[in-house]
Amino acid sequence: MIQAVRLLIFAAVFSIFSGSAFAATGIALLIGNEKYQSTIGPLSSPGKDLELIKRSLMEVGLDESQIVMIKDASRIQMLSAIEDFAVKARHLNNDEIAFFYYAGHGAKKPNSGAGLHLIPTSAQDVSSSSFWYETINFNKDVVDAFTNSESRAAWILAIDACRNELKIPSNTRGADRGFGIVPSSSGMLISFAADDNQTAKDNIGGSANSPYAMALSKYLRTPNQRISAVFGAVRPDVMERTSYVQEPVYTNKLNRDPILIEIGPTPKPEPKPTPKPEPKPGPLSLVQQLQQEMADLGDDVRRAIGAGDNGKSVDAIAMRWKKENSGNYSPRIARLFKASCLLGQPVACTDYGYLKDTGNGGVTVDDAEAVNYYLKGCDGGSPTGCSNVGYMYEKGIGTGQNYYSAVSYYRKGCDGGAARGCTNLGYMYDTGKGVDKSYAQALTYYDKGCSGDNSTGCFNLGSLYEYGLGTTANKPKALELYQKAVRLNPNYEKAKKGIDRLKNLNVNPVKPKTLAERLQEDLADLGYEVKNAIVANDNGKTLNAIGLKWKKEDGNTFTRRVTRVFDAACQLGSGGACVDAGFVHEKGYAGYPVSFSKAVEYYQSSCILNYYLGCSNLGYMYEKGRGVSKDETTALRYYRTACNGGNPLGCTNLGYMYESGKGMGSSDLATAVTYYRKGCDGGNALGCTNLGYMYEQGRGTGSVNLYTAVSYYQKGCDGGNIRGCANLGWMYETGKGTTRDYFKAASYYTKACNADYARSCTNLGYLYDTGNGVSGGKNMYKAVEYYRKGCTGRNSIGCSNLAIMYENGYGGLSKSTTEAIRYYRQALEINPSDEKVKSNLRRLGVTP
């Protein structure tokens, strides 16, 4: 994506270079923090490092007006500068760079994954429990901000941090020096001055600058080096300067690797005239390449390729030529389908996949390639492509055999109108492949296939009617369907045999039973109340009400009689009953085995009936891959349908998809906030909690607002979301967004812990450990009790703290190194990156 713009720089400006020079353009943000509180520790060189890096960037061509330099920045100043820089970067071209440099303190927060934090000068005492809220989360506040800008520039992030001994207390809520795993993001090169848990030097040997800044400045100004080579050279240079105690690390996901400054050869005094070499042609675009490859097919094809309509014109020519060729394929027609596909026409991808599948049109058979082209067609919206790739998965042709994937693609094809996809989906239900066997579902999908004039669908539907599978036997109806199958396919021998078998039977047509009659028979043992409700002609509303009443009478549980009523009400058209029936099969209630595929069927029926909780639940099944192949794009679609229909859970789930970028490729935090708010306003407690978190972290809200975060956590907790209670407890414990109140913190932790939220159990144990906010003051026995609950719920800090209690014999425990080691190991199993736990194990003579 990045190719340096080559602008002429006169030798008079850069006299250090003897030849002609071409340089990259772009923008830079340089932040240097050195005037820290005494509790953190001041630094001496960040300000000088910024000046050094600024000069180097100017020497390689960046305009001084495009370099923003900020010294001794507060958290708000840093966040504001980062946001402005991300916005400015949106306007850069793919031949420019966006350079971010930070010099100052940094630390790694424990139990938080990579846990990268840059420390503003506004940060206070590191021993304060609020310390981490005063820092900059590198992954979320920097990397995500730059990624979300969707800039086409080459991002270069250089972090010269963790520059001396940051005096963070060594306790259960302390931190590690160092930056953990180096994050990575597409289009970015991210470099750290020191590896994990190393200390980056502020300066060495009385120099004014850090060793990393000196090395970086040196190699930035070295001509004819690509960015990756610059940082590759910085690493050994810094190691040598620091006697190999500091080792820079970096990740490189640049889409292009620009040269910051490229120097041509020094001109000779009197160069001999030589003929100029012919310039090498640049790489051809896809359109140019296809026009060149298909020049023999005439000007019409050349113009169609360049029409800029995603291959529609090329596909139209291919279809016209196929018609002129009596519907047959030829090599030139095959070439057109492939070209149209490459230009973006999904139907052409399906057609070319068929040629790869069958070898028609002179195309070499390649089953794996056929699958790829069918997938391209399906992903682009071709129902036939979906149906065909479903067949490949069913038979294991060109890919591994996978009935669940086959069902998923057949369903997509059928939903898009591919009759063959409906027929094949019916066959999967008929045989129980990839789904629970169901003649009733097979009947539905065969009917859809036959209605779309698929002869196999008509024949299979006729077989079900002939033998009474999934419906009442009806041989005249079967005969009618066999006859239609033959009309559609005169060579259909099985259908002809079916006709011969039935045409001479003098059978009186049997009037099929209505749905209501069949349900009355099935539920006859449940009494007249149910029998009358079935014929109430209100789309199952009365029957569903009976199910809800009985559920309440049965202790608010799903019993067999309740589930049977819900199932019948669903068949009659009650969307709410479909959701309840689906939930029974998803969870395995009432003695039914867990069946995600059945749950999907019920949720789908509910969604079709415009009961939007069913749409939301169906989205969840697609998101998690339960009963269907995992498909986040489809999940997104169902969540959107649910939200637009007024279902608040659907809005909350849609917000999560936007926050995480699932189903769309990249996150959109502002839109996530919008949908979390819709979910919360609609009464979904999880939406309120998630919205509170967005305000606490300043994600998609414009800025951090702890007071608003507290109010939404309160709504979430009041609505029954336990994580909202847990987060609210933390806000009261730390005094963030509200007055610090240990008693309220303990109250909310207790509520969350009683609901098995492990982290809150650990936090409650800590309050008993310190005596804050608990009646009776410090109580080590209670601390042990809640640390154990936290550990049992797989909270690593709970296990680690319990180990400490065993080490010291606190809370009525006998001192036991063996038990301490056991719980330290359990903590490490939960969080393998916890360096303090590793250190404690080594202290006890155990290798982690």
Side-chain angles (χ1 to χ4, degrees):
M1 185 173 69
I2 310 304
Q3 179 61 52
V5 173
R6 299 187 172 184
L7 302 176
L8 181 62
I9 301 176
F10 293 100
V13 177
F14 293 104
S15 58
I16 59 172
F17 302 127
S18 56
S20 58
F22 300 85
T25 59
I27 60 176
L29 172 60
L30 316 179
I31 299 177
N33 293 335
E34 62 184 30
K35 293 181 181 178
Y36 288 99
Q37 301 288 334
S38 59
T39 52
I40 294 177
L43 300 169
S44 62
S45 66
K48 302 180 186 69
D49 292 343
L50 258 61
E51 297 290 349
L52 179 64
I53 298 300
K54 178 181 179 180
R55 289 196 301 272
S56 300
L57 292 173
M58 290 174 63
E59 285 184 8
V60 299
L62 264 69
D63 190 284
E64 184 174 11
S65 65
Q66 299 303 312
I67 302 175
V68 175
M69 191 165 65
I70 300 175
K71 296 181 180 180
D72 298 319
S74 67
R75 184 175 190 275
I76 296 301
Q77 288 173 324
M78 287 183 68
L79 289 173
S80 178
I82 290 166
E83 181 179 358
D84 291 344
F85 189 64
V87 171
K88 192 174 182 182
R90 292 176 186 169
H91 306 293
L92 296 179
N93 298 318
N94 62 356
D95 52 9
E96 296 180 293
I97 65 169
F99 190 100
F100 175 80
Y101 176 82
Y102 170 81
H105 274 308
K108 180 175 66 177
K109 186 178 181 181
N111 304 319
S112 60
L116 320 183
H117 288 258
L118 311 182
I119 303 176
T121 55
S122 57
Q124 301 296 315
D125 190 351
V126 294
S127 64
S128 168
S129 58
S130 65
F131 174 74
W132 297 107
Y133 293 95
E134 301 169 5
T135 65
I136 300 294
N137 186 310
F138 181 70
N139 288 38
K140 295 178 180 178
D141 297 331
V142 181
V143 175
D144 284 358
F146 293 165
T147 301
N148 293 337
S149 73
E150 299 181 347
S151 173
R152 293 175 294 171
W155 286 97
I156 303 162
L157 283 63
I159 311 300
D160 193 2
C162 189
R163 301 161 60 84
N164 69 356
E165 295 284 345
L166 185 61
K167 298 177 178 61
I168 295 179
S170 178
N171 57 39
T172 57
R173 294 196 176 190
D176 297 317
R177 291 176 292 109
F179 271 95
I181 300 169
V182 180
S184 61
S185 187
S186 179
M188 291 185 183
L189 185 149
I190 304 176
S191 168
F192 288 110
D195 204 351
D196 186 23
N197 291 316
Q198 290 182 354
T199 298
K201 302 292 184 182
D202 195 20
N203 52 60
I204 55 173
S207 64
N209 298 102
S210 77
Y212 179 81
M214 288 189 287
L216 180 57
S217 173
K218 172 183 175 181
Y219 292 105
L220 282 174
R221 293 181 289 109
T222 301
N224 298 323
Q225 285 217 79
R226 296 195 178 276
I227 280 295
S228 60
V230 168
F231 286 90
V234 165
R235 175 183 168 89
D237 188 299
V238 172
M239 293 173 67
E240 185 174 350
R241 290 174 189 263
T242 61
S243 300
Y244 298 90
V245 299
Q246 182 179 331
E247 182 179 358
V249 292
Y250 73 96
T251 60
N252 180 8
K253 283 198 174 182
L254 289 173
N255 299 318
R256 292 187 184 175
D257 200 358
I259 298 174
L260 288 185
I261 185 160
E262 184 171 353
I263 307 302
T266 303
K268 296 180 180 180
E270 293 182 3
K272 295 179 181 179
T274 55
K276 293 183 179 180
E278 289 293 326
K280 293 182 180 179
L284 297 177
S285 67
L286 174 62
V287 168
Q288 292 170 328
Q289 184 180 343
L290 291 174
Q291 286 177 328
Q292 192 176 86
E293 290 176 355
M294 300 193 174
D296 59 305
L297 297 183
D299 288 340
D300 285 349
V301 171
R302 181 182 59 79
R303 284 191 293 269
I305 292 171
D309 58 1
N310 297 323
K312 289 182 180 179
S313 298
V314 179
D315 187 60
I317 294 176
M319 294 302 293
R320 174 165 56 84
W321 286 3
K322 181 183 174 187
K323 184 177 180 181
E324 294 169 356
N325 197 38
S326 303
N328 298 316
Y329 295 95
S330 68
R332 68 171 189 163
I333 294 171
R335 289 168 65 195
L336 284 184
F337 279 135
K338 182 177 181 180
S340 177
C341 172
L342 293 175
L343 290 168
Q345 191 61 21
V347 175
C349 295
T350 297
D351 284 329
Y352 193 70
Y354 172 76
L355 298 182
K356 278 288 184 183
D357 189 355
T358 61
N360 286 341
V363 176
T364 303
V365 172
D366 188 326
D367 293 332
E369 280 290 288
V371 170
N372 288 335
Y373 280 103
Y374 285 151
L375 283 171
K376 285 182 181 179
C378 179
D379 292 342
S382 165
T384 303
C386 298
S387 177
N388 289 359
V389 80
Y391 182 80
M392 304 299 269
Y393 272 110
E394 181 192 347
K395 301 300 182 183
I397 300 172
T399 184
Q401 189 174 52
N402 188 323
Y403 290 144
Y404 294 100
S405 293
V407 167
S408 177
Y409 283 111
Y410 284 152
R411 197 182 302 279
K412 279 187 178 181
C414 181
D415 289 347
R420 180 179 172 227
C422 298
T423 295
N424 290 357
L425 183 56
Y427 175 77
M428 302 302 275
Y429 278 106
D430 195 342
T431 58
K433 292 180 178 179
V435 289
D436 292 328
K437 188 168 183 173
S438 171
Y439 288 126
Q441 288 292 330
L443 190 83
T444 297
Y445 287 109
Y446 285 154
D447 186 45
K448 287 185 177 182
C450 183
S451 297
D453 289 341
N454 179 265
S455 61
T456 304
C458 296
F459 172 79
N460 290 355
L461 184 61
S463 296
L464 295 183
Y465 275 109
E466 181 178 356
Y467 299 105
L469 300 174
T471 183
T472 303
N474 187 336
K475 293 185 179 182
K477 177 71 173 179
L479 177 62
E480 177 186 327
L481 289 165
Y482 291 152
Q483 290 170 337
K484 181 176 180 179
V486 171
R487 285 198 302 274
L488 294 170
N489 180 5
N491 298 318
Y492 206 147
E493 294 301 324
K494 286 185 178 180
K496 290 179 181 179
K497 289 180 180 180
I499 293 171
D500 291 339
R501 192 166 56 246
L502 297 178
K503 68 181 180 180
N504 296 321
L505 293 177
N506 186 20
V507 294
N508 294 320
V510 178
K511 182 181 178 182
K513 293 179 181 179
T514 66
L515 174 62
E517 289 171 339
R518 286 192 286 110
L519 290 176
Q520 283 185 322
E521 285 185 4
D522 293 342
L523 304 182
D525 59 307
L526 297 182
Y528 283 100
E529 182 183 18
V530 170
K531 184 176 181 179
N532 293 335
I534 290 172
V535 293
N537 197 29
D538 58 0
N539 295 324
K541 183 178 179 181
T542 301
L543 190 59
N544 184 50
I546 293 173
L548 293 172
K549 181 184 70 172
W550 286 1
K551 181 185 173 188
K552 186 176 180 180
E553 292 173 356
D554 292 345
N556 203 34
T557 59
F558 291 95
T559 58
R560 278 278 182 172
R561 67 169 187 164
V562 168
T563 303
R564 291 171 64 198
V565 167
F566 282 147
D567 178 77
C570 175
Q571 293 185 58
L572 290 171
S574 170
C578 294
V579 167
D580 283 327
F583 190 67
V584 167
H585 291 289
E586 182 184 351
K587 299 298 182 181
Y589 291 150
Y592 291 98
V594 171
S595 175
F596 292 145
S597 58
K598 276 191 175 181
V600 166
E601 291 176 26
Y602 282 112
Y603 292 151
Q604 192 166 44
S605 297
S606 176
C607 189
I608 291 172
L609 292 168
N610 294 327
Y611 192 82
Y612 294 105
L613 176 57
C615 303
S616 181
N617 290 0
L618 186 58
Y620 182 80
M621 303 301 274
Y622 273 101
E623 181 190 346
K624 301 300 181 182
R626 294 181 176 178
V628 290
S629 294
K630 186 174 182 178
D631 188 335
E632 291 174 347
T633 302
T634 301
L636 186 75
R637 176 163 58 86
Y638 280 117
Y639 285 151
R640 193 183 305 281
T641 299
C643 183
N644 290 342
N647 177 257
L649 176 59
C651 297
T652 294
N653 290 346
L654 187 57
Y656 172 73
M657 301 296 277
Y658 274 100
E659 182 184 357
S660 61
K662 288 185 175 182
M664 58 187 71
S666 62
S667 60
D668 183 342
L669 300 181
T671 303
V673 167
T674 297
Y675 284 112
Y676 283 151
R677 183 172 283 110
K678 286 185 75 172
C680 180
D681 291 346
N684 181 259
L686 176 60
C688 299
T689 296
N690 290 356
L691 186 56
Y693 179 77
M694 301 300 274
Y695 275 106
E696 182 187 349
Q697 300 296 320
R699 291 168 60 81
T701 58
S703 63
V704 170
N705 190 326
L706 299 177
Y707 298 97
T708 302
V710 167
S711 69
Y712 281 112
Y713 285 151
Q714 186 75 62
K715 285 185 178 181
C717 181
D718 292 345
N721 181 261
I722 297 304
R723 187 162 62 87
C725 300
N727 291 358
L728 190 58
W730 177 252
M731 301 301 272
Y732 274 111
E733 182 184 353
T734 57
K736 293 299 180 182
T738 185
T739 303
R740 177 176 283 173
D741 188 328
Y742 289 120
F743 288 97
K744 284 189 177 180
S747 172
Y748 287 114
Y749 285 153
T750 300
K751 186 173 183 178
C753 180
N754 288 341
D756 296 325
Y757 197 78
R759 189 181 72 187
S760 286
C761 296
T762 296
N763 290 351
L764 186 56
Y766 182 78
L767 293 183
Y768 276 107
D769 197 340
T770 58
N772 290 325
V774 289
S775 60
K778 188 170 183 176
N779 187 328
M780 301 298 271
Y781 293 90
K782 284 286 188 181
V784 167
E785 175 188 341
Y786 285 108
Y787 286 154
R788 194 180 300 279
K789 283 188 177 181
C791 182
T792 301
R794 293 191 61 76
N795 178 263
S796 64
I797 297 178
C799 298
S800 177
N801 289 0
L802 188 57
I804 292 172
M805 304 301 270
Y806 270 109
E807 263 201 90
N808 294 281
Y810 293 151
L813 299 175
S814 299
K815 282 189 178 183
S816 174
T817 302
T818 301
E819 287 297 292
I821 291 171
R822 181 163 78 91
Y823 283 108
Y824 279 138
R825 280 179 168 165
Q826 193 167 336
L828 199 60
E829 177 189 336
I830 298 167
N831 181 12
S833 64
D834 194 326
E835 293 298 327
K836 288 192 297 301
V837 171
K838 292 179 184 178
S839 176
N840 286 339
L841 283 171
R842 284 191 286 266
R843 176 172 51 77
L844 296 175
V846 177
T847 301

